[in-house]
Amino acid sequence: SLACANYSISGWVDTASSTWFTANGQRFWDWCFFYVFGGYMVEDLIVFRLGPMLLLHHIGCLAGLMFAFVVCPAGWPYFSAGAVAFEFGSALLNLYCLYPHSRYVLWAYASSMTCSNAAAGLCCAAMVLSQPSAAIGAKAFSATLTGTFILLRQKTCNDYVRKHRRAARARRKEGGGGHQRRRRWLSLPWRRAPSAACKST
């Protein structure tokens, strides 16, 4: 969409705020994002039995999608950028779920999630500030919804970090920790004192 607007954010904003359909396909990718993103949310709601938090998450995503596309279309470029930023953090969460004992994957996830939340917050601020004529209620809804997502996502990330640290401390306590590793290192063959036969030669 940005390329269709000649890499101009203001041009993209003008197109999104002026029309839903274009004869030259300028909004083709906007509609693709709308259908794909919304379709995955609806599919999850139909196919899977979601828990309360995931159910609220999907409803919030659909509400934000409809709000940005229909109610405040001039903010659509910033909404889509914020949604993509959110997804980067979620991608690293999936990787952490595959390798929950890896310290490096944990810190990659924590860093990515924090940065993605900050980027999404900046996109939301740009969306609100770029529409001075929008209703106060619309701006408040956008800021509240995005802020809620950011707070819950960051809280979940912090909980994972604390849980990982507690588990790591428990494993170190059970295995002897650094002292145990040092004892194993000192007991390796090349760390032992030379035998009597070696001394005699």
Side-chain angles (χ1 to χ4, degrees):
S1 295
L2 186 60
C4 291
N6 295 320
Y7 299 97
S8 170
I9 292 291
S10 59
W12 187 5
V13 168
D14 292 340
T15 302
S17 60
S18 60
T19 182
W20 284 357
F21 306 98
T22 55
N24 59 359
Q26 196 168 352
R27 296 215 67 191
F28 173 80
W29 297 109
D30 292 346
W31 280 100
C32 284
F33 187 95
F34 181 85
Y35 280 128
V36 172
F37 187 81
Y40 273 119
M41 295 296 107
V42 172
E43 179 195 27
D44 286 351
L45 291 173
I46 295 174
V47 175
F48 300 107
R49 183 176 296 176
L50 303 177
M53 288 303 295
L54 267 181
L55 181 62
L56 289 174
H57 166 270
H58 281 47
I59 293 174
C61 287
L62 289 172
L65 182 69
M66 293 297 297
F67 175 82
F69 203 81
V70 178
V71 180
C72 287
W76 173 258
Y78 303 105
F79 169 84
S80 55
V84 171
F86 272 147
E87 291 305 319
F88 275 108
S90 299
L92 268 294
L93 170 60
N94 294 334
L95 185 64
Y96 174 69
C97 290
L98 292 175
Y99 303 99
H101 300 302
S102 172
R103 179 180 58 184
Y104 303 106
V105 174
L106 170 70
W107 289 116
Y109 155 61
S111 302
S112 174
M113 180 61 74
T114 302
C115 291
S116 72
N117 288 337
L122 291 175
C123 290
C124 177
M127 178 179 176
V128 171
L129 295 176
S130 67
Q131 303 180 81
S133 60
I136 297 296
K139 295 180 179 181
F141 175 82
S142 176
T144 301
L145 185 63
T146 306
T148 301
F149 271 111
I150 290 173
L151 289 175
L152 292 177
R153 284 163 57 89
Q154 195 62 44
K155 179 183 180 301
T156 301
C157 176
N158 295 342
D159 290 343
Y160 274 120
V161 172
R162 284 192 289 266
K163 181 180 178 181
H164 184 96
R165 285 177 171 175
R166 286 195 298 266
R169 283 196 295 267
R171 286 195 300 269
R172 285 197 297 268
K173 186 177 294 185
E174 292 175 1
H179 296 295
Q180 184 71 19
R181 288 194 295 271
R182 179 171 174 78
R183 283 196 295 271
R184 287 199 298 268
W185 165 253
L186 292 175
S187 66
L188 292 173
W190 57 80
R191 299 290 297 177
R192 295 173 186 163
S195 62
C198 294
K199 290 181 178 180
S200 62
T201 57

